[in-house]
Amino acid sequence: MQKETTVNLSELNQRERRDHELPYRADESVVEEMKRTRRLLRAFNTADPCDFEKQAEIASQLIPHADGAVGLTQPFYCDYGTHIHVGKNFIANYNCTILDVGRVDIGDNVMFAPNVSIYTAGHPIHYEMRNTGYEYGIPVKIGNNVWIGGNSVVTPGVTIGDNVVIGAGSVVTKDIPANVIAAGNPCRVIRQITEEDRKYFYKKREFDIQVEG
């Protein structure tokens, strides 16, 4: 659903059109925003991989809307960073890409395995309209306690509920409800997560120690 607005659309500049989920073109003002981010990305991705303090400092500039430290593993890529809002204990493993043309909301205790991509950006389907240079950004929302498996893609407009596990290699094109395992291309619900799952750390291998959840 298109974002409701009471503003005069004819008065919006390209950045404002982008942020109102409207078709926009990447004009000079948009590109300047992206340049700032790319400089920070270069600094982050080329920092000493063992200098965690330096990485954390740059990550806090890349993603300023965060509830605490942001756990990014090199390399990391995004369009703006300022459109990403994350909760506590966010961890993104190697080669995460977040195209945050639209807003991306990520809850508490969210984990991304390697090569996870979050796409809010898109282009018109019809080739003539696509060739005009107009694009769009539609928000993505990820709840609390979500684990997204490696090589997964989340597409524009998707909401993933709390406590969800997304299997590796999934392409998430539709909303996923809370408390389920979902996987596949297109991603679909496999089963509910239950109290029985508390006993196991991998498939049917049970914890041999007392662990408080």
Side-chain angles (χ1 to χ4, degrees), residues 198 206-213:
R198 185 184 293 274
E206 296 189 24
F207 282 99
D208 64 328
I209 53 176
Q210 186 69 32
V211 180
E212 293 185 5

Side-chain angles (χ1 to χ4, degrees), residues 124-142:
I125 293 296
H126 195 284
Y127 71 94
E128 289 182 347
M129 303 311 296
R130 188 165 60 249
N131 291 342
T132 63
Y134 277 100
E135 53 190 308
Y136 60 81
I138 307 298
V140 165
K141 185 173 183 179
I142 299 170

Side-chain angles (χ1 to χ4, degrees), residues 106-139:
I106 299 171
D108 295 337
N109 307 311
V110 172
M111 302 167 62
F112 290 175
N115 302 308
V116 166
S117 296
I118 308 297
Y119 301 153
T120 69
H123 306 271
I125 293 296
H126 195 284
Y127 71 94
E128 289 182 347
M129 303 311 296
R130 188 165 60 249
N131 291 342
T132 63
Y134 277 100
E135 53 190 308
Y136 60 81
I138 307 298

Side-chain angles (χ1 to χ4, degrees), residues 83-167:
H83 297 165
I84 303 170
H85 297 247
V86 302
K88 300 174 182 176
N89 304 320
F90 172 56
I91 297 174
N93 214 316
Y94 303 105
N95 208 39
C96 176
T97 298
I98 302 179
L99 301 186
D100 59 318
V101 173
R103 177 166 169 149
V104 177
D105 283 288
I106 299 171
D108 295 337
N109 307 311
V110 172
M111 302 167 62
F112 290 175
N115 302 308
V116 166
S117 296
I118 308 297
Y119 301 153
T120 69
H123 306 271
I125 293 296
H126 195 284
Y127 71 94
E128 289 182 347
M129 303 311 296
R130 188 165 60 249
N131 291 342
T132 63
Y134 277 100
E135 53 190 308
Y136 60 81
I138 307 298
V140 165
K141 185 173 183 179
I142 299 170
N144 300 316
N145 309 310
V146 172
W147 176 23
I148 299 182
N151 295 295
S152 294
V153 175
V154 179
T155 60
V158 164
T159 294
I160 297 174
D162 293 342
N163 313 317
V164 166
V165 175
I166 302 292

